[in-house]
Amino acid sequence: MSEPEHPADVPFATSYRTHTCGQLRPEDAGRTVTVAGWVASQRDHGGLIFVDLRDRWGIVQVVLDPSDEPEGMEEAKLCRLEDVLQVTGTVRERPPGAVNREMPTGECEIQAAKLKLLAKTETPPFVIGEEATASEEMGLKYRYLDLRRPPLQRNLALRHLAARATRTFFDGRDFLEIETPFLIRSTPEGARDYLVPSRIHHGRFYALPQSPQQYKQLLMMAGFDRYIQIVRCFRDEDLRADRQPEFTQVDLEMAFVNEEDVMEVVESYLVARLRDTMKAEVEAPFTRLSLDEALQRYGTDRPDLRYGMEIADVSDAVRGSDFRVLRDVLEGGGAVHGLSAPGGDAMSRRRQDELVEVAKASGAKGTLTLGVSPDGLEGPTAKFLAEAEQEAIIAALGAGPGDLVVLVADETEIALAALGALRVEM
């Protein structure tokens, strides 16, 4: 048998392998290759053994035919999931009926001439595959095994691509990547600092940075003009959906600019990063909203614009209402805001009650939910609203028959926050 080839265009070719498991294609047929990786599956078909071998780049099928007298046939029979193997053999195209369209390497396989067991595994605590089969606690305990799963490997590869795209873009804009210190004096920020005791200065503590804010401002004063850093930040906060103790952010600062200059750079960066990492084409400039407009229309400073259900102020529509709940709020300086959920009138009563709890979690006392029919609003509280008031509410919210109207009467800030949460929920 000929020696494995070491193509010059494969930078990771080593004495252990000439190709990765995810690299081979039908055009490699006839080539002698060596691959190494973990056993993803093993199947014995009456003496003919099939092994799916996995590495970071993908999975390739290895075939051991006893008639070829491959070296390591007995080891192949006894190999278990996650054993580490090295295989040398010849690439061949799969028969038409055996092609696996779900795998990038599914049109070819390796006809093994030599198989070597590099490391024997113990029985894994869970199955390693596309779907998570372990609890979160178990996955974290055996993180080195959980990280073998293709989805997590793709996530980390995507982070690498994002970091590379970030550096490439800002280098093209003449930014300097500058590292700022991690051990700093505690500075006033929006959260608690993590503290690190000093060995030399007894009783004194360093703080881990919540952001490089002061350092990057010093850099602007020092004349560096354009700074960029992919930086770790630390905040001693309780875990929430949008909060975690440590995270990575793309941090930048510029001198001699106004807000339009900053937004142009950030927009151009996001367009380039999405194109280079996700192959997604996004047009710039993005939709511009003032803070007040975003809060008034969506109840949040970070609205999802992929759907409508905009919030509207219906205070004027009900200002003279005999409905005491609304009248008392308006006379107390509050407001009545609402939104319309298309087709939402079909929601069950239980589901509508759940929405009330979502609003209460944002500080609201409750909600008024009303169905929309061709004749106006329907529901237990509809009778308290005059026909003209119902028509004004429907018009202000752009509602139609079958929709669900949700009103919140409260202080403006609370009403908007509650409706913003309801908008996302629905």
Side-chain angles (χ1 to χ4, degrees), residues 169-170 173 175 225-226 252-270 285 288:
F169 173 84
F170 285 105
R173 293 289 188 109
F175 280 71
D225 202 288
R226 293 188 165 204
L252 63 97
E253 188 71 66
M254 292 183 285
F256 306 110
V257 291
N258 61 23
E259 61 189 33
E260 288 296 327
D261 298 322
V262 176
M263 285 190 282
E264 187 279 325
V265 168
V266 173
E267 286 179 351
S268 298
Y269 160 62
L270 291 174
R288 300 285 177 87

Side-chain angles (χ1 to χ4, degrees), residues 68-84:
D68 296 332
E69 298 182 353
E71 183 181 338
M73 187 73 181
E74 292 304 314
E75 290 179 317
K77 291 179 181 179
L78 299 175
C79 72
R80 304 163 63 183
L81 295 181
E82 301 308 311
D83 281 351
V84 185

Side-chain angles (χ1 to χ4, degrees), residues 344-412:
D345 195 26
M347 287 184 190
S348 67
R349 186 71 249 172
R350 178 180 176 181
R351 179 61 177 141
Q352 292 185 30
D353 291 342
E354 291 173 351
L355 296 178
V356 175
E357 297 306 313
V358 172
K360 288 182 176 179
S362 296
K365 300 177 183 67
T367 67
L368 298 176
T369 54
L370 301 154
V372 183
S373 73
D375 300 323
L377 296 176
E378 296 180 333
T381 56
K383 61 185 178 183
F384 298 111
L385 296 169
E387 182 178 347
E389 293 169 351
Q390 292 185 24
E391 292 176 352
I393 291 172
I394 291 172
L397 300 180
D403 294 350
L404 183 72
V405 165
V406 183
L407 302 179
V408 176
D410 215 311
E411 297 175 23
T412 296

Side-chain angles (χ1 to χ4, degrees), residues 61-124:
Q61 178 170 280
V62 176
V63 183
L64 293 100
D65 188 339
S67 63
D68 296 332
E69 298 182 353
E71 183 181 338
M73 187 73 181
E74 292 304 314
E75 290 179 317
K77 291 179 181 179
L78 299 175
C79 72
R80 304 163 63 183
L81 295 181
E82 301 308 311
D83 281 351
V84 185
L85 305 181
Q86 180 189 50
V87 176
T88 298
T90 304
V91 180
R92 68 182 185 188
E93 293 190 50
R94 291 200 200 185
V99 171
N100 185 348
R101 300 293 179 187
E102 301 298 318
M103 287 171 34
T105 62
E107 295 181 81
C108 63
E109 59 191 12
I110 299 175
Q111 184 178 4
K114 180 181 179 181
L115 180 146
K116 182 179 181 181
L117 178 65
L118 299 180
K120 191 71 178 171
T121 185
E122 297 179 5
T123 302

Side-chain angles (χ1 to χ4, degrees), residues 150-409:
L152 296 184
Q153 297 210 336
R154 288 194 293 268
N155 288 348
L156 290 178
L158 183 61
R159 283 179 63 95
H160 162 76
L161 292 176
R164 185 179 68 182
T166 298
R167 291 187 168 97
T168 299
F169 173 84
F170 285 105
D171 182 64
R173 293 289 188 109
D174 218 12
F175 280 71
L176 288 180
E177 183 175 4
I178 303 174
E179 291 185 342
T180 54
F182 269 4
L183 296 176
I184 64 174
R185 177 191 291 266
S186 182
T187 60
E189 293 278 357
R192 289 185 297 270
D193 290 322
Y194 279 111
L195 299 178
V196 181
S198 171
R199 179 180 59 84
I200 298 175
H201 304 286
H202 184 68
R204 305 289 294 275
F205 295 82
Y206 296 104
L208 297 181
Q210 296 183 37
S211 79
Q213 185 66 37
Q214 293 193 350
Y215 283 108
K216 65 184 182 181
Q217 291 171 344
L218 289 172
L219 289 170
M220 294 306 101
M221 295 167 62
F224 284 93
D225 202 288
R226 293 188 165 204
Y227 142 93
I228 179 67
Q229 186 178 190
I230 301 174
V231 61
R232 299 291 285 182
C233 298
F234 306 88
R235 298 180 182 181
D236 188 5
E237 296 186 315
D238 295 332
L239 281 172
R240 285 181 283 165
D242 59 349
R243 293 289 188 274
Q244 50 190 332
E246 58 175 301
F247 57 91
T248 303
Q249 71 181 29
V250 177
D251 194 74
L252 63 97
E253 188 71 66
M254 292 183 285
F256 306 110
V257 291
N258 61 23
E259 61 189 33
E260 288 296 327
D261 298 322
V262 176
M263 285 190 282
E264 187 279 325
V265 168
V266 173
E267 286 179 351
S268 298
Y269 160 62
L270 291 174
V271 169
R273 175 167 155 176
L274 287 168
R275 181 188 64 238
D276 295 342
T277 61
M278 306 291 289
K279 308 301 180 187
E281 294 296 332
V282 181
E283 293 184 4
F286 300 161
T287 300
R288 300 285 177 87
L289 296 173
S290 68
L291 174 61
D292 183 64
E293 184 181 4
L295 293 175
Q296 292 290 333
R297 292 170 60 184
Y298 304 105
T300 177
D301 60 355
R302 50 190 186 284
D304 189 333
L305 304 183
R306 292 174 296 180
Y307 53 93
M309 295 172 57
E310 291 189 21
I311 299 168
D313 188 340
V314 298
S315 299
D316 290 340
V318 297
R319 194 167 297 281
S321 178
D322 292 332
F323 192 2
R324 184 172 179 178
V325 171
L326 303 182
R327 187 178 67 243
D328 289 350
V329 169
L330 292 171
E331 290 177 353
V336 182
H337 291 77
L339 58 77
S340 172
D345 195 26
M347 287 184 190
S348 67
R349 186 71 249 172
R350 178 180 176 181
R351 179 61 177 141
Q352 292 185 30
D353 291 342
E354 291 173 351
L355 296 178
V356 175
E357 297 306 313
V358 172
K360 288 182 176 179
S362 296
K365 300 177 183 67
T367 67
L368 298 176
T369 54
L370 301 154
V372 183
S373 73
D375 300 323
L377 296 176
E378 296 180 333
T381 56
K383 61 185 178 183
F384 298 111
L385 296 169
E387 182 178 347
E389 293 169 351
Q390 292 185 24
E391 292 176 352
I393 291 172
I394 291 172
L397 300 180
D403 294 350
L404 183 72
V405 165
V406 183
L407 302 179
V408 176

